[in-house]
Amino acid sequence: MGAVPEAYYQFVMDYAPYVYVIPESGPDPAWGRAAFAAAFAIDFLPEAYSAKQFEDRKTAIYDKIISLADWLLTQQCTDPAKKAYGGFKSAENSTYYYSVDACRVIPSLLRAYELTNDADYLNAAKLSSSTFLKTMQDQQTYGGFTRAVTIEDAWLLQLDVECLYGLIGLKMLAEKYDVANTSLYQTIMSKAVGFLREGFENLWLYYDPADSKWHRVGLTENEVYDDPLAYALIGLYDYEGWSLSCQKLYNFINTIRASAQYPAYNPAICWAGYIDVVSRFPACDYYDAVTSGILWKIRKYHDKPSFAFSKQIIEKHQNEFMYWGVKHTDYSYVENKQAMATVCWLAQLFLNYEEPQTRFTQILRSKGENITLYPIVEAAETVSYGEGIDIPAIVSPTRVEEVLIEPGYIVNDYLNVYTFTPLRQHDKIRRKGIDYEVLGVQALDFAGETAYFKANCRRLVGQ
């Protein structure tokens, strides 16, 4: 198991369930406390409780889990006369009860129950699943979950793909915590997947019964938020494994590369906050930092190069990635707010990190050499690069028949570089004091996964 940065652990212990914390000031009063912030903190803390790193802090962690779970119970609607019965307020001062918040809270309460054996947590999770989510599903004829209902029984009728995240808790109940009602949960899950899969596979965010259409965001509806699709992905992955649907969405988004407008973007680190899925370019200049954490399990088992590289970058910039949005170019924050969801998910990434062990990484350790990668961050009138990152590589000369030699160059100016790190076109590498530009990158796959990358590089003249 990996090690969680101490600042991340302390942040959760000090501030959960607040949504945002302003450094040097404290919790952001505009957002206050929210159910999802408590839920994601609970998701992390039982893992920390069992980790050797925190062996001497078990009592404090246990007490924190109880305090968060008890607070969640105060956010649940317990009036059976209300349509929101069994749901959770989206924030402590809100009158809205969102389906997605129930989807987030249910597995967290079950994890709290697993640790504490407090039946109140189990009963709250069962009520939210069998009553609230069923109410939200039955409110319309499609099969997904109606977005939200207020305490006054007013509805938001859109159906969000993100609610596929709810499969995690529903499956836990069906298979372990409430097997007497397995058929009920299986029916709810089957109906949800049966309808939402179309939106998921085609990268829509929600369906609106008002016009009977799927929708994204932006003026042309070409853009998506990255985190709802990431949450939907891990929910469906938990339900059906590395299915064709999961592979299709992950591979589509994770192969969207940098653009002339945003040359520093690298999806292997994290996904952009907005992504144009029609033109296949990032649609903003920042990463949604939470995505690296949300995706940790999928990357650990199905995209090891991205798993290793994202962890390397985030570990090097631990403080910057505590903020909800970080710039592609230098990882500076978009807004001066540290985010509970982000810290909790990245803490899980750190805690579950193990160095990938593949045949190629073995070759790198025994035969490789260290080179320095300088990622391109600007490609306008001038070209500029980010800070250097040391990476292992196998380097070989390029043969004449492998490359079209450009005027002014000789074959010795070209190299083939084989790495586990996902290089990008126009990145710079430095080998033995000589700089080279990456001209092109080819991903080499084995058994359906990327095993390594081959980059063709040319010496930078004047460097």
Side-chain angles (χ1 to χ4, degrees), residues 137 182-192:
Q137 189 172 69
T182 293
S183 61
L184 169 64
Y185 301 124
Q186 288 177 336
T187 299
I188 295 173
M189 289 189 287
S190 178
K191 288 178 66 177

Side-chain angles (χ1 to χ4, degrees), residues 187-328:
T187 299
I188 295 173
M189 289 189 287
S190 178
K191 288 178 66 177
V193 173
F195 178 72
L196 294 175
R197 189 188 300 276
E198 178 187 353
F200 177 86
E201 289 188 348
N202 291 285
L203 297 110
W204 299 104
L205 292 177
Y206 66 93
Y207 183 86
D208 194 340
D211 61 10
S212 301
K213 293 181 180 178
W214 290 99
H215 293 274
R216 301 187 185 106
V217 293
L219 294 177
T220 58
E221 292 204 351
N222 289 346
E223 297 174 13
V224 298
Y225 306 121
D226 68 305
D227 53 326
L229 289 182
Y231 284 122
L233 173 61
I234 60 170
L236 191 61
Y237 176 73
D238 188 81
Y239 178 70
E240 63 186 22
W242 194 227
S243 64
L244 290 176
S245 293
C246 293
Q247 293 178 48
K248 181 178 180 180
L249 183 137
Y250 179 80
N251 291 332
F252 185 96
I253 296 181
N254 212 60
T255 54
I256 290 176
R257 299 304 180 190
S259 63
Q261 186 176 9
Y262 304 116
Y265 178 60
N266 189 339
I269 299 172
C270 195
W271 289 352
Y274 290 83
I275 301 170
D276 187 326
V277 295
V278 176
S279 67
R280 291 181 55 79
F281 285 126
C284 66
D285 66 349
Y286 63 88
Y287 295 113
D288 190 0
V290 70
T291 318
S292 297
I294 299 171
L295 296 172
W296 76 260
K297 185 177 291 185
I298 284 176
R299 288 182 160 179
K300 181 174 183 176
Y301 296 108
H302 307 288
D303 183 9
K304 295 177 179 64
S306 292
F307 182 58
F309 189 58
S310 64
K311 189 262 187 179
Q312 181 181 8
I313 295 298
I314 295 166
E315 188 169 46
K316 193 171 184 178
H317 299 275
Q318 295 172 20
N319 181 66
E320 291 93 329
F321 272 85
M322 294 177 74
Y323 296 81
W324 66 261
V326 296
K327 296 292 185 70
H328 302 157

Side-chain angles (χ1 to χ4, degrees), residues 67-256:
S67 71
L68 290 169
D70 285 348
W71 182 80
L72 279 172
L73 297 186
T74 70
Q75 303 302 293
Q76 188 170 37
C77 177
T78 55
D79 183 351
K82 297 295 185 180
K83 297 295 186 183
Y85 182 47
F88 297 88
K89 295 180 186 179
S90 64
E92 59 183 330
N93 297 319
S94 177
T95 59
Y96 281 84
Y97 294 76
Y98 281 80
S99 291
V100 73
D101 282 315
C103 293
R104 293 161 172 161
V105 169
I106 291 164
S108 307
L109 285 175
L110 294 174
R111 291 177 180 119
Y113 168 70
E114 177 75 22
L115 182 66
T116 66
N117 205 34
D118 188 328
D120 288 344
Y121 306 150
L122 173 62
N123 291 333
K126 289 163 61 175
L127 176 65
S128 192
S129 302
S130 63
T131 301
F132 177 71
L133 284 183
K134 189 173 189 308
T135 297
M136 303 305 276
Q137 189 172 69
D138 291 347
Q139 177 61 22
Q140 37 71 38
T141 61
Y142 299 96
F145 302 103
T146 301
R147 178 175 292 171
V149 64
T150 68
I151 197 64
E152 295 84 16
D153 297 343
W155 295 91
L156 297 179
L157 295 174
Q158 298 85 355
L159 297 101
D160 297 305
V161 169
E162 184 178 7
C163 284
L164 286 170
Y165 186 83
L167 296 169
I168 297 172
L170 290 164
K171 185 181 177 186
M172 292 168 72
L173 284 161
E175 295 184 350
K176 183 175 182 180
Y177 295 102
D178 191 18
V179 292
N181 291 300
T182 293
S183 61
L184 169 64
Y185 301 124
Q186 288 177 336
T187 299
I188 295 173
M189 289 189 287
S190 178
K191 288 178 66 177
V193 173
F195 178 72
L196 294 175
R197 189 188 300 276
E198 178 187 353
F200 177 86
E201 289 188 348
N202 291 285
L203 297 110
W204 299 104
L205 292 177
Y206 66 93
Y207 183 86
D208 194 340
D211 61 10
S212 301
K213 293 181 180 178
W214 290 99
H215 293 274
R216 301 187 185 106
V217 293
L219 294 177
T220 58
E221 292 204 351
N222 289 346
E223 297 174 13
V224 298
Y225 306 121
D226 68 305
D227 53 326
L229 289 182
Y231 284 122
L233 173 61
I234 60 170
L236 191 61
Y237 176 73
D238 188 81
Y239 178 70
E240 63 186 22
W242 194 227
S243 64
L244 290 176
S245 293
C246 293
Q247 293 178 48
K248 181 178 180 180
L249 183 137
Y250 179 80
N251 291 332
F252 185 96
I253 296 181
N254 212 60
T255 54
I256 290 176

Side-chain angles (χ1 to χ4, degrees), residues 3 5 8 269 307-322 326 329-332 346 349-350 353 355 371-375 385-391:
Y8 283 43
I269 299 172
F307 182 58
F309 189 58
S310 64
K311 189 262 187 179
Q312 181 181 8
I313 295 298
I314 295 166
E315 188 169 46
K316 193 171 184 178
H317 299 275
Q318 295 172 20
N319 181 66
E320 291 93 329
F321 272 85
M322 294 177 74
V326 296
T329 51
D330 60 2
Y331 311 117
S332 59
L346 292 181
L349 165 65
F350 281 112
Y353 185 77
E355 286 293 334
I371 63 173
T372 305
L373 164 65
Y374 296 89
Y385 302 93
E387 63 180 347
I389 307 161
D390 292 332
I391 62 172

